[in-house]
């Protein structure tokens, strides 16, 4: 993007109310429909309003903050300053050069004191100052609360023109410790920057004081679907041949804007054509969040799966197909690099009490009807249910951390318990509904679910999804099948809240409709919510045997790691609650057990024989 004055950009809808987000130098024109689009020119802003919003995270004593600016003039200073307030005085702690295209200023401050709330302000020139608060790490809180969002469509026909004031009001009541936007913050495929400004204006009041994770999905990088295929060039706007269709410069602009404030990547090596990666971990309040890139390494289906199964390569609409034929050799999902990351992350519990995975979408085909109520898609290869081998590989690593999976993308709120070999032997997932629902989906199985709990609806229970994956559906927020009457409520829009209770080691999932006041005692969530699970439910695989009961002396809540000696593989790692734990295992043989804090106090027990479930034994471990 060139820098001619404060250039005008096209938006799909009106900005959020000026009173909520601060005055602009000029008022925007109302959108006028034209060929299905809703053009709106970004007004020029005064020099004191040139900083639009900011995003930040703090991890391992490193603050990373990205300031988003409106376009600068050629003669404007190219440097932005970060100041913090200490002892009543503002002190500069970092400077950053404005990066274009995209007009961002990324800051990094090491040796950050995570024990205190610290006011900050971003400054540009002599007039512009954007203020916020870097929150202390809430490690002393028993409950860590995450507010979760996806699908920020701004199309007026789908509720995008309704202000987000209801969400902001609810956030003030919920008081989350972390905000997570799982993707599709931007739906325009050509003007990410302009729409990203709109996203920031919608949610900036919350993001300026709450740590925030934003990860881009397909629409953010200008594609209806994305199979990144390790960064190669796609020759189709729809992307089913694999790779990115937009120029690398466009993709990198999106990555900088949405992910440069995240903790440093696990392995920063770019993929093909120099496209950056961001998969990483964030520790907050004793909860470790693995942040994945679902689609960056995923193979494109075109040319890999059997042809003529549907109108497009990723949708199987022909009933007579074999799901196993879709699980073709060579098809990747997360890729080797992210599997390596998950394996390392699952084993590292330093300063961590519970774990969760954040990503774009869930590991199954989570819907049957797509777009319209009469369009049944038997298998959706855009979901993380495909390829099945990659799906099972990912779940096998995630469950080793007893982690819950939190995601979006499907436009449909669901809770699934996933299975690899047996129903429920892997993690639970919570897919949150869209903020504003552009493309409707429904969970509508043709047969009732098996093994339903008493009183549960027929659409719940055990199923095989269209790819043959074992899933147990616990809750779904289906839209009204009737023609749209209300832009939000009948389209099942909303957001999610996940509460991690460190004392009880439970995880509670909430699913709230739009335009509901959470503070109202009469407010109702979508049917099936709230749902509370135990941490250990995320690895509910049935044991074959047990190791002797560990009785630990001199240390509370130690980390226990179980390693199968025959293969050398870590079976799982868990910070237990209390001082006693009976490790389950899934094969006979001998095991190594590591017990301690993973810092400077760890004891290793080798050659521990697995016992029949009916036999018991005890091992005392003293620190």
């Amino acid at each position: 993007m060139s820098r001619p004055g404060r250039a005008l950009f096209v938006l799909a809808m009106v900005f959020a109310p000026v009173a909520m987000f601060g005055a602009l130098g000029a008022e925007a024109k109302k959108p006028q429909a034209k060929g299905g689009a809703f053009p709106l020119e970004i007004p020029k802003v005064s020099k004191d309003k040139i900083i639009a919003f900011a995003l930040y995270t703090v991890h391992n004593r490193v603050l990373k903050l990205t300031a988003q600016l409106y376009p600068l003039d050629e003669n404007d200073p190219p440097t932005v300053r970060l100041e913090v307030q200490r002892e009543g005085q503002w002190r500069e702690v970092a400077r950053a050069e404005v990066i274009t295209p995209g007009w961002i200023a990324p800051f990094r401050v090491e040796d950050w004191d995570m024990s205190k709330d610290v006011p900050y302000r971003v400054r540009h020139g002599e007039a512009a100052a954007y203020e916020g608060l870097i929150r202390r790490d809430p490690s002393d809180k028993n409950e860590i609360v995450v507010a979760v969002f996806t699908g920020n469509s701004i199309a007026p026909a789908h509720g995008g023109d309704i202000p987000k004031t209801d969400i902001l009001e609810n956030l003030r009541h919920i008081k989350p410790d972390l905000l997570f936007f799982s993707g599709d913050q931007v739906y325009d495929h050509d003007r990410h920057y302009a729409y990203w400004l709109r996203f920031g204006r919608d949610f900036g009041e919350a993001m300026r004081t709450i740590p925030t994770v934003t990860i881009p999905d397909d629409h953010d990088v200008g594609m209806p679907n994305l199979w990144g295929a390790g960064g190669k060039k796609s020759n189709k706007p729809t992307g089913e041949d694999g790779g990115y269709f937009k120029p690398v410069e466009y993709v990198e602009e999106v990555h900088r804007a949405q992910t440069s404030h995240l903790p440093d990547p696990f392995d920063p090596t770019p993929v093909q054509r120099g496209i950056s990666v961001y998969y990483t971990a964030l520790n907050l309040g004793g909860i470790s969040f693995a942040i994945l890139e679902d689609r960056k390494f995923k193979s494109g289906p075109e040319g890999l799966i059997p042809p003529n199964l549907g109108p497009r390569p990723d949708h199987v609409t022909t009933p007579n197909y074999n799901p196993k034929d879709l699980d073709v050799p060579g098809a990747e999902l997360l890729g080797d690099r992210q599997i390596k990351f998950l394996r390392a992350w699952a084993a590292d519990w330093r300063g961590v009490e519970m774990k969760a995975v954040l990503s774009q979408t869930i590991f199954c085909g989570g819907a049957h009807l797509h777009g319209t109520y009469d369009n049944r898609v038997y298998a959706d290869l855009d979901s993380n249910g495909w390829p099945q081998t990659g799906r099972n590989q990912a779940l096998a690593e995630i469950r080793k951390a007893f982690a819950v999976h939190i995601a979006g993308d499907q436009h449909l709120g669901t809770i699934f318990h996933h299975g690899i070999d047996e129903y429920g032997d892997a993690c639970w997932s919570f897919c949150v509904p869209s903020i504003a629902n552009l493309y409707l989906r429904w969970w509508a199985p043709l047969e009732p679910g098996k093994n339903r709990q008493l009183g549960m609806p027929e659409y719940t229970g055990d199923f095989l999804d269209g790819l043959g994956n074992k899933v147990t559906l616990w809750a779904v927020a289906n839209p009204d099948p009737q023609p749209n009457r209300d832009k939000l409520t009948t389209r099942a829009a909303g957001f999610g809240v996940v509460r991690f209770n460190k004392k009880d080691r439970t995880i509670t999932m909430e699913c709230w409709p739009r335009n509901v006041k959470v503070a109202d005692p009469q407010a109702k969530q979508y049917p099936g919510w709230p749902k509370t699970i135990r941490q250990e439910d995320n690895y509910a695989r049935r044991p074959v045997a047990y190791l002797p009961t560990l009785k630990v002396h001199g240390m509370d809540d130690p980390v226990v790691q179980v390693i199968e000696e025959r293969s050398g593989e870590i079976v799982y790692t868990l910070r237990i609650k209390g001082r006693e734990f009976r490790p389950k295992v899934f094969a006979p043989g001998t095991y190594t057990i590591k017990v301690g804090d993973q810092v400077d106090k760890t004891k290793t027990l080798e050659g521990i024989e697995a016992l029949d479930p009916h036999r018991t034994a005890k091992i005392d471990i003293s620190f």
Side-chain angles (χ1 to χ4, degrees):
M1 182 184 297
S2 62
R3 301 174 60 164
R6 294 188 175 91
L8 300 178
F9 298 88
V10 181
L11 283 182
M13 23 192 295
V14 289
F15 279 117
V18 170
M20 175 66 70
F21 298 108
L24 291 173
E27 290 189 3
K29 299 176 182 178
K30 292 184 178 180
Q32 301 294 324
K34 183 179 179 181
F38 287 79
L40 177 72
E41 294 178 344
I42 292 182
K44 297 180 79 172
V45 298
S46 59
K47 290 186 181 295
D48 64 325
K49 301 296 182 184
I50 201 70
I51 303 168
F53 62 97
L55 301 158
Y56 78 87
T57 60
V58 181
H59 169 76
N60 196 24
R61 300 191 66 200
V62 176
L63 165 68
K64 295 184 72 175
L65 183 148
T66 298
Q68 179 64 62
L69 280 68
Y70 287 97
L72 300 179
D73 283 329
E74 287 285 356
N75 58 352
D76 284 335
T79 302
V80 182
R81 309 175 312 274
L82 176 62
E83 299 177 347
V84 299
Q85 192 177 67
R86 292 173 178 162
E87 300 176 352
Q89 300 293 321
W90 287 105
R91 301 180 183 180
E92 182 178 314
V93 294
R95 290 193 173 206
E97 295 292 310
V98 177
I99 300 174
T100 59
W103 311 98
I104 69 160
F107 297 96
R108 178 190 177 93
V109 183
E110 298 189 1
D111 296 322
W112 185 263
D113 185 350
M114 299 172 61
S115 66
K116 300 177 182 178
D117 289 339
V118 179
Y120 75 86
R121 67 183 183 187
V122 180
R123 303 206 55 189
H124 177 264
E126 296 301 319
Y130 179 93
E131 297 189 11
L133 182 73
I134 307 297
R135 296 192 180 186
R136 68 181 183 88
D137 186 73
S139 56
D140 59 339
K141 289 183 60 179
N142 178 56
E143 183 180 75
I144 301 300
V145 181
V146 184
V148 189
F149 307 92
T150 196
N152 189 41
S153 167
I154 61 173
H158 308 116
D161 57 341
I162 295 177
K164 309 301 191 302
T165 50
D166 62 310
I167 294 178
L168 293 172
E169 180 181 347
N170 283 327
L171 289 178
R172 294 186 191 103
H173 173 74
I174 294 167
K175 295 180 173 57
D177 301 289
L178 179 69
L179 305 178
F180 172 44
F181 293 87
S182 76
D184 294 341
Q185 283 74 250
V186 170
Y187 264 83
D188 185 271
H189 289 183
D190 298 305
R191 297 157 295 183
H192 175 270
Y193 170 73
Y195 285 75
W196 179 242
L197 287 175
R198 165 61 193 267
F199 167 78
R201 289 181 62 82
D202 279 347
F203 296 102
E205 282 302 303
M207 296 187 297
R208 73 165 73 218
T209 62
I210 304 174
T212 301
V213 171
T214 50
I215 58 175
D217 203 355
D218 39 22
H219 293 285
D220 297 286
V221 296
M223 302 179 70
N225 292 298
L226 173 65
W227 297 270
K232 81 179 188 72
K233 169 66 177 174
S234 171
N235 294 311
K236 296 185 175 182
T238 47
E240 58 264 24
D241 57 336
Y244 291 80
F245 180 74
K246 289 291 185 181
V248 170
E249 295 76 14
Y250 188 90
V251 175
E252 285 301 283
E253 178 185 344
V254 174
H255 285 178
R256 283 194 301 269
Q258 298 205 24
T259 71
S260 59
H261 69 290
L262 298 181
D264 296 343
F266 176 77
D267 173 4
T269 307
V271 294
Q272 295 179 47
R273 301 189 294 145
I275 292 176
S276 60
V277 300
Y278 59 83
Y279 62 93
T280 187
L282 170 67
N283 291 354
L284 184 143
I287 313 299
S288 179
F289 300 93
I291 302 170
L292 296 181
E293 301 187 62
D294 303 29
R295 295 180 157 93
K296 179 155 288 173
F297 298 90
K298 186 174 180 178
S299 303
E302 186 177 76
L304 284 179
I305 66 166
N308 304 318
L309 295 177
R312 46 190 259 194
D314 59 317
H315 278 185
V316 175
T317 56
T318 303
N320 300 321
Y321 72 101
N322 185 347
K324 293 182 179 179
D325 293 340
L326 305 175
D327 193 19
V328 293
E332 290 196 26
L333 182 52
L334 296 184
D336 292 341
R337 288 175 57 178
Q338 290 194 102
I339 292 297
K340 180 181 179 182
F341 160 61
L342 279 175
R343 189 168 296 141
W345 170 79
D348 185 358
W349 285 72
R350 290 172 293 176
V352 173
E353 297 185 55
M354 301 175 74
K355 295 206 172 203
V357 172
L358 308 180
S359 79
Q360 292 151 344
T361 195
I362 53 178
F363 291 100
C364 68
H368 300 100
L369 309 180
H370 289 235
T372 61
Y373 203 68
D374 58 356
N375 181 36
R376 183 168 292 272
V377 175
Y378 291 96
D380 178 14
L381 278 67
D382 179 50
S383 77
N384 275 351
W386 182 84
Q388 297 94 311
T389 295
R391 175 255 189 191
N392 292 339
Q393 186 182 27
L395 289 175
E397 299 299 334
I398 291 170
R399 69 183 181 181
K400 292 178 184 178
F402 296 84
V404 68
H405 182 206
I406 307 169
D409 172 69
Q410 292 294 302
H411 304 223
L412 178 64
T414 57
I415 295 177
F416 284 101
H417 195 179
H418 298 267
I420 301 174
D421 300 308
E422 300 175 350
Y423 286 98
D425 66 5
C427 72
W428 289 66
S429 72
F430 179 20
C431 177
V432 301
S434 293
I435 298 168
N437 217 345
L438 174 66
Y439 182 84
L440 299 184
R441 290 186 175 96
W442 291 264
W443 174 261
L446 295 173
E447 300 289 339
K450 297 179 180 179
N451 301 315
R452 300 188 307 279
Q453 287 195 352
L454 185 66
M456 293 286 283
E458 288 190 348
Y459 58 75
T460 65
D462 294 341
F463 297 92
L464 294 176
D465 71 4
L467 295 150
N469 300 310
K470 292 181 174 65
V471 295
T472 304
L473 187 281
W474 281 88
V476 61
N478 275 327
D480 190 329
Q482 299 302 316
N484 182 43
R485 296 187 302 273
D486 182 288
K487 293 177 181 178
L488 292 177
T489 56
T490 62
R491 300 185 73 86
F495 66 98
V497 176
V498 182
R499 301 178 184 273
F500 295 87
N501 187 305
K502 295 186 291 185
K503 179 182 178 182
D504 297 338
R505 297 292 173 82
T506 58
I507 302 157
T508 299
M509 295 163 275
E510 302 176 1
C511 192
W512 292 98
R514 289 289 305 275
N515 291 331
V516 166
K517 290 187 177 182
V518 174
D520 185 346
Q522 303 303 315
K524 292 183 178 180
Q525 301 182 41
Y526 281 112
W529 284 271
K531 175 67 177 175
T532 298
I533 63 172
R534 299 178 306 128
Q535 177 185 23
E536 292 187 41
D537 292 340
N538 289 299
Y539 199 171
R541 184 180 177 187
R542 289 186 292 182
V544 170
Y546 286 88
L547 302 181
T549 297
L550 308 175
K551 293 195 173 183
V552 182
H553 307 274
M555 181 181 293
D556 292 325
D557 305 342
V559 177
V560 175
Q561 186 173 88
V562 177
I563 304 169
E564 185 184 44
E565 293 185 341
R566 179 181 58 83
S567 64
E569 293 185 1
I570 296 174
V571 181
Y572 56 79
T573 312
L574 176 69
R575 184 178 295 279
I576 68 171
K577 191 65 179 175
R579 295 188 173 193
E580 187 171 308
F581 182 67
R582 188 188 186 198
K584 62 181 180 180
V585 292
F586 311 105
T590 59
Y591 291 81
T592 294
I593 307 174
K594 294 184 178 181
V595 182
D597 60 7
Q598 294 194 328
V599 179
D600 56 6
K601 295 180 180 179
T602 297
K603 293 196 173 182
T604 301
L605 311 174
E606 298 179 338
I608 306 301
E609 184 179 354
L611 305 174
D612 182 274
H614 302 292
R615 292 177 57 196
T616 61
K618 180 184 73 172
I619 298 177
D620 286 295
I621 304 168
S622 298
F623 289 93

